[in-house]
């Protein structure tokens, strides 16, 4: 589960700088503000990235019977011999 999430994050860590450089080059060398296609892509792409990561998290951490491995379980209140001997020596 964590391996798949790590792979998605690595993909985004690689994709985001590439897109930032591409948008910067578009802004400097082209008529960036007048071309609605690139302006729309610049604004919408970050929302799409966020949505894809959110969907991946929802799919990976969906409730399944396999999730019991990661569930919280209370510790049993069992006293062992070591704890009893420590009590008796401290009381003396």
């Amino acid at each position: 589960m964590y391996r798949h999430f790590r792979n998605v994050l690595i993909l985004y860590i690689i994709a985001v700088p590439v897109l930032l450089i591409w948008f910067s080059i578009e802004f400097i060398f082209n008529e960036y503000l007048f071309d609605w296609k690139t302006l729309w892509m610049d604004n919408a792409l970050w929302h799409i990235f966020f949505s894809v990561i959110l969907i991946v998290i929802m799919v990976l951490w969906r409730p399944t019977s396999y999730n019991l491995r990661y569930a919280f379980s209370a510790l049993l209140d069992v006293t062992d011999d070591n704890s009893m001997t420590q009590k008796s020596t401290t009381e003396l």
Side-chain angles (χ1 to χ4, degrees):
M1 174 170 63
Y2 293 111
R3 188 174 352 121
H4 295 299
F5 188 60
R6 183 193 67 206
N7 293 340
V8 169
L9 289 180
I10 288 172
L11 176 73
Y12 278 94
I13 288 172
I14 293 170
V16 166
V18 169
L19 288 172
L20 283 174
I21 291 170
W22 182 67
F23 286 137
S24 298
I25 291 171
E26 281 286 319
F27 182 74
I28 292 171
F29 294 116
N30 294 336
E31 293 182 8
Y32 179 73
L33 294 176
F34 300 111
D35 188 15
W36 65 269
K37 293 176 187 175
T38 56
L39 185 61
W40 175 87
M41 191 173 2
D42 185 24
N43 289 332
L45 201 57
W46 305 113
H47 296 288
I48 293 170
F49 278 172
F50 173 77
S51 300
V52 169
I53 289 180
L54 182 63
I55 290 170
V56 166
I57 289 172
M58 288 176 7
V59 168
L60 288 177
W61 278 280
R62 70 189 179 276
T64 62
S65 61
Y66 189 66
N67 289 347
L68 293 177
R69 284 187 1 170
Y70 303 108
F72 172 76
S73 62
L75 297 173
L76 298 175
D77 189 22
V78 177
T79 57
D80 57 341
D81 293 336
N82 292 336
S83 64
M84 295 302 285
T85 57
Q86 288 176 353
K87 279 187 177 178
S88 63
T89 57
T90 56
E91 292 174 358
L92 295 174

